[in-house]
Amino acid sequence: MSGQPVPCSPAEIGSLFLFEKLSPEQLGRLCAEGRVERFEPGPVYAEGDPATCFYVMVEGTVVLSRRVGADDVEVIRSSQRGVYSGAMQAYLGDRARQVYNNSMRVTEPTRFFVLPADTFAAIMREWFPMAVHLLEGLFFGSKATQQAIGQRERLLALGSLSAGLTHELNNPAAAAVRATATLRERVAKMRHKLAVISAGPYPRESLASLIDIQERTAERVGKAPALSPLEAADREDALTDWLDDHDIPEGWRLAPTFVQAGLDVDWLEQVAAAVEEDILPGAIGWLNYTVETELLMDEIADSTTRISHLVDAAKQYSQLDRAPFRSVDVHELLDSTLLMLSGKIGPQIKVVKEYDRTLPEIPAYPAELNQVWTNLIDNAVSAINSAGGEGTLTVRTAADHDRLLVEFRDTGVGIPPENHGRIFDPFFTTKPVGEGTGLGLDISWRIVVNKHHGTLRVESEPGDTRFQVLLPLTAAAEDDTNEESV
């Protein structure tokens, strides 16, 4: 938006704090190459437009805002003469993205001294060459430092995740190894028992019946019902009594295995009716090996499936061979992150998922959202541990008008009121020395707000802290790398 040109007074320009040390010749050049414009209440420039001018307010009131989701959030309002905004980094040229990173409007008739961006850059390099070199070094050095520290933060998180993932993988892997060794032993005993039975004076019909019972027993194992501890104990007692009544050795040892496989007294009665009395002990022993073999194979299948799920979760979390920007189901991202962090969360913290599965997929950078979830869950776990180590972490998703809400609620110690305004500041942390860099929430803020044009906010009191991430349902804009302020 263009303002109305008004005369430029070098004396008035020189009264602004930004130009008060300039010589009369320099002030004359500013008025010759720049201009003073008067703007009526309304917008001056919009966020994301090419940064073509550098603005210095001569008089009036200026308001700067940032686009957050569907809302314009006011960040600065000032009536101080000499405040400035616009193409503040024009001296960097093509090495930085030259766009307005906020929107500016005025609330009353306001005059600005306006300098074209290329003129501003030329004057800066000519009048203040040393300052330009220092500012360039500060800008790019700060950017490189931020990237390096951000990378360090990600490496620390990766180390913690790797330790947790190793622990989670070790449990099912060890279970599979133990089950495989036991299975080998049971199969060997089954072969021996079969040899004993086949060498005995048993009719072909009895052996055929026994093999048929074995097949049906194996099928029954896969359909075993879930029993309560009391139901299982009652069934074990009944089976033990039946085995003892039929002179089956070590019935107390066989009963729990049969109960786990879903076998009951009625089933054993069918076995007893199908074979001769003298073959019954051998038949029961052989069926026990069959049951144990099936149970061990189920254990191996469960363990390897668990390993496969962990590997899939790790792949989902890291977003390997996925497009960096795509439509994603936030519930898949949340589940993979929770699984990756399950070792760190531990058994003392109850995780409650309140998902609205009807929510649509959203366009996002999934690997970076996973980093946000990681930081917020890690903070929640730390808060709960500081409150005694036991508590609840609730992860909730819901629709919020034209945005998707992801909320992390914990029952930890809470955030002191005096820290509410600082928790998203770089390097601010309430964790003990060595346990936090103070960058987790800063990184999360930049990912959510700058990269996804969403909102990250917090509500906290002791026992109830809620971090809320609001993400737009429409495509997010590219990340803005420049920072501006009045």
Side-chain angles (χ1 to χ4, degrees):
M1 173 180 177
S2 298
Q4 177 184 359
V6 295
C8 178
S9 167
E12 185 178 44
I13 297 302
S15 68
L16 304 176
F17 67 85
L18 196 61
F19 305 129
E20 60 186 359
K21 299 298 183 181
L22 298 183
S23 67
E25 293 77 12
Q26 290 173 322
L27 292 173
R29 180 178 174 183
L30 286 179
C31 272
E33 299 189 23
R35 60 188 183 274
V36 174
E37 293 184 1
R38 175 187 172 91
F39 289 81
E40 296 300 321
V44 177
Y45 63 73
E47 179 181 351
D49 289 347
T52 58
C53 295
F54 176 66
Y55 294 84
V56 184
M57 190 178 74
V58 179
E59 64 174 352
T61 301
V62 64
V63 176
L64 294 184
S65 61
R66 294 293 301 269
R67 190 72 173 172
V68 179
D71 303 319
D72 284 318
V73 178
E74 181 177 318
V75 291
I76 291 177
R77 178 184 293 258
S78 178
S79 299
Q80 180 184 356
R81 297 181 72 246
V83 295
Y84 53 89
S85 186
M88 293 168 51
Q89 290 156 353
Y91 60 87
L92 295 172
D94 295 337
R95 291 174 293 172
R97 189 174 178 224
Q98 299 296 334
V99 297
Y100 295 123
N101 287 335
N102 51 41
S103 295
M104 185 165 72
R105 61 185 175 89
V106 295
T107 58
E108 61 177 318
T110 301
R111 286 189 299 137
F112 287 99
F113 173 69
V114 184
L115 199 59
D118 54 352
T119 303
F120 174 56
I123 287 177
M124 284 288 292
R125 287 192 289 267
E126 180 181 341
W127 290 355
F128 313 107
M130 183 176 177
V132 167
H133 287 305
L134 291 173
L135 289 171
E136 288 176 345
L138 178 64
F139 178 83
F140 292 111
S142 174
K143 194 172 180 182
T145 300
Q146 195 174 55
Q147 290 174 346
I149 294 177
Q151 182 67 20
R152 173 65 175 169
E153 183 80 4
R154 286 189 287 271
L155 287 173
L156 290 173
L158 180 60
S160 176
L161 287 171
S162 297
L165 180 60
T166 301
H167 174 75
E168 291 297 313
L169 285 170
N170 182 66
N171 289 336
V177 170
R178 289 193 303 269
T180 301
T182 306
L183 178 61
R184 185 184 302 274
E185 177 186 344
R186 294 296 185 271
V187 170
K189 290 184 177 180
M190 182 184 291
R191 290 196 302 266
H192 175 73
K193 182 66 72 174
L194 179 59
V196 171
I197 292 176
S198 62
Y202 307 119
R204 181 183 297 272
E205 293 77 11
S206 297
L207 293 177
S209 298
L210 188 57
I211 292 173
D212 177 65
I213 292 173
Q214 181 191 36
E215 292 295 331
R216 290 188 287 125
T217 300
E219 292 177 3
R220 194 177 180 99
V221 172
K223 303 175 183 178
L227 301 175
S228 67
L230 184 59
E231 291 172 331
D234 290 342
R235 187 170 291 189
E236 286 179 17
D237 290 341
L239 286 176
T240 300
D241 292 342
W242 189 94
L243 294 169
D244 289 343
D245 292 342
H246 291 78
D247 299 323
I248 306 299
E250 298 184 321
W252 58 271
R253 186 180 63 82
L254 302 177
T257 303
F258 287 164
V259 170
Q260 187 179 355
L263 306 186
D264 52 20
V265 170
D266 291 341
W267 183 259
L268 294 183
E269 289 288 356
Q270 294 180 41
V271 176
V275 299
E276 287 77 6
E277 185 176 351
D278 57 342
I279 201 178
L280 182 60
I284 294 295
W286 192 34
L287 292 179
N288 177 61
Y289 290 140
T290 300
V291 168
E292 288 185 334
T293 299
E294 291 295 322
L295 292 175
L296 288 168
M297 287 192 291
D298 286 345
E299 184 176 348
I300 293 171
D302 290 342
S303 298
T304 53
T305 299
R306 169 76 172 162
I307 293 172
S308 178
H309 286 167
L310 285 167
V311 172
D312 287 343
K315 185 177 179 181
Q316 170 73 22
Y317 180 84
S318 63
Q319 293 296 308
L320 293 174
D321 57 8
R322 301 287 186 94
F325 184 82
R326 62 184 181 87
S327 294
V328 297
D329 183 346
V330 294
H331 304 106
E332 292 181 359
L333 304 183
L334 291 167
D335 285 341
S336 67
T337 304
L338 287 168
L339 183 56
M340 291 290 289
L341 291 172
S342 59
K344 186 166 190 176
I345 294 173
Q348 298 294 98
I349 298 177
K350 180 182 179 182
V351 177
V352 177
K353 299 178 183 179
E354 297 179 356
Y355 291 169
D356 180 356
R357 295 285 187 178
T358 65
L359 293 172
E361 293 186 346
I362 62 170
Y365 296 87
E368 299 194 25
L369 285 185
N370 280 341
Q371 188 177 0
V372 174
W373 312 152
T374 299
N375 293 336
L376 298 182
I377 293 171
D378 181 72
N379 284 348
V381 171
S382 296
I384 293 174
N385 287 336
S386 297
E390 293 187 2
T392 301
L393 168 63
T394 303
V395 183
R396 182 172 71 93
T397 63
D400 188 289
H401 302 292
D402 61 344
R403 296 186 291 180
L404 185 148
L405 167 69
V406 181
E407 181 183 78
F408 298 84
R409 178 182 180 185
D410 69 74
T411 57
V413 293
I415 302 170
E418 63 270 18
N419 292 338
H420 282 194
R422 303 180 59 196
I423 58 172
F424 295 112
D425 292 347
F427 304 108
F428 178 78
T429 180
T430 58
K431 296 179 182 178
V433 176
E435 292 188 15
T437 63
L439 285 173
L441 290 178
D442 171 56
I443 290 172
S444 299
W445 171 272
R446 286 189 282 112
I447 290 173
V448 172
V449 176
N450 293 344
K451 193 131 191 176
H452 291 86
H453 279 200
T455 301
L456 176 58
R457 63 194 184 200
V458 62
E459 301 173 2
S460 182
E461 61 184 42
D464 186 5
T465 297
R466 307 182 187 199
F467 279 92
Q468 296 178 329
V469 177
L470 290 159
L471 298 169
L473 299 177
T474 56
E478 290 295 324
D479 186 21
D480 292 335
T481 56
N482 296 341
E483 296 290 339
E484 294 186 22
S485 63
V486 169

